[in-house]
Structure formats: C-alpha cells, structure tokens
Amino acid sequence: AERMRRGRQAKLRSGQLLPWTRAPYGYLLDPDRPRDASRVRLDPVQAAVVEQMFAWYTDTSQAPSLYHVAKRLSDAHIPTPRGGKRWNVASVRGILRSPTYMGVAYSGRTHPAPARQRKSALQPVGPGQSQQPAPAEEWIAVPVPAIISEETFEAAQHRLNRNVQMARR
C-alpha cells in the first residue's frame, strides 16, 4: 500500500496523473485512460457555459449575485453538472472557486485529521475523520487545458471574498 501511494504521488508530481477520477464541469476524460493528464479535453458546450458564468459574475455593470447566475442558467435550460434542470448556488460557487478552470488541477489540498466534534449529539466524539486544509506549499499542481484567464479567475475570487465579508450574517 505504501509503494502504491508513493508511486501515485510520483506520477502526480510529474504531471502524468490527474487528481480527480470524475471530470469537472467543462472537461472530458479519455474513456480508455481516464486518469491520464495528457488526454484531458475541453467539452466545447460546457466550457462556453463556464466562460459565461465567469463573465456574468465578474461583470461590474450588473453585479449579479450567485443566485442570479444560477437562475439565469436554469432559465436558459442549461443542464446542471449532474444533468438536472435547476442550478444550485453551491454548484455555481464551486465552479467559480475551482482553480482547475484557470488551467491547474491541484492534488493534496486537504489531509485527513482526527475528528474534534461529534456527528450527532447521540454519538460520542470517537474515532471519526475530518479534512483540514493543507498549506499551499504541499499542493501538487497538474496542468490541464485552461477555460478562463488568470485575471478573470482572480476577479471572481476578489468578488466572492468581498461578498463573504459584506454578507448580512
């Protein structure tokens, strides 16, 4: 098991292995070799939807919220990442927060840690596991095709962070 883990880490560091098994919205994997980083392709329709989402959210003249972006996608009858009819705000936020669309997929962004809280008041604290963010120096970057520019991604991150600070709660 340890040799397998070390081999997987070496392939990730060399950029030969993808950190995900299911492609994010806008990307297609090769059916024969789904974890091969060199065979990742863009889905032209979904990539255009991702570009449009970033364009709507970063447009300073309209200043739409995540809810408005989700509503516009639902009203346009664009299928969700799982094929549903209605877009959820969490799905839109997940796409806008993902650095994969900038052209870099990261592995090792979190690491397991012992649970500090119980899952339910009826259960003891016990031997559960949770995920903690890892320092950015430990992340392993794997290049993938970019859908948006770095400037557009940074503008969206700035807007998301500002909205978190300005939230009523």
Side-chain angles (χ1 to χ4, degrees):
E2 180 62 25
R3 279 198 342 247
M4 287 288 290
R5 189 187 72 74
R6 283 197 318 260
R8 198 168 32 250
Q9 291 292 326
K11 277 193 162 189
L12 280 167
R13 283 193 182 87
S14 67
Q16 297 175 358
L17 187 69
L18 290 171
W20 16 264
T21 56
R22 209 178 120 246
Y25 188 76
Y27 290 96
L28 294 172
L29 299 178
D30 184 17
D32 297 332
R33 305 209 36 206
R35 296 284 306 264
D36 190 357
S38 64
R39 296 184 179 204
V40 175
R41 296 178 288 121
L42 293 178
D43 182 343
V45 175
Q46 291 181 355
V49 171
V50 170
E51 282 184 71
Q52 187 62 53
M53 289 169 65
F54 275 93
W56 283 336
Y57 194 69
T58 57
D59 184 15
T60 56
S61 63
Q62 294 180 352
S65 64
L66 292 172
Y67 173 77
H68 287 102
V69 173
K71 183 160 177 30
R72 285 177 85 170
L73 291 168
S74 297
D75 291 345
H77 302 290
I78 296 171
T80 65
R82 300 263 181 177
K85 295 179 182 178
R86 288 188 55 233
W87 279 80
N88 191 341
V89 173
S91 300
V92 173
R93 183 185 305 111
I95 289 172
L96 292 175
R97 282 273 186 208
S98 177
T100 302
Y101 298 107
M102 203 173 39
V104 181
Y106 288 106
S107 175
R109 292 176 66 179
T110 61
H111 54 79
R116 292 182 305 194
Q117 294 180 337
R118 61 185 77 194
K119 294 178 182 173
S120 166
L122 302 174
Q123 295 178 346
V125 173
Q129 289 284 324
S130 67
Q131 296 290 324
Q132 287 186 336
E137 305 86 49
E138 295 178 10
W139 295 0
I140 301 170
V142 179
V144 293
I147 295 178
I148 58 162
S149 67
E150 190 173 338
E151 295 82 29
T152 306
F153 182 77
E154 292 302 325
Q157 299 316 299
H158 176 70
R159 178 112 196 274
L160 285 165
N161 292 335
R162 195 185 85 226
N163 287 350
V164 166
Q165 292 172 351
M166 302 301 270
R168 281 186 252 168
R169 62 189 175 322

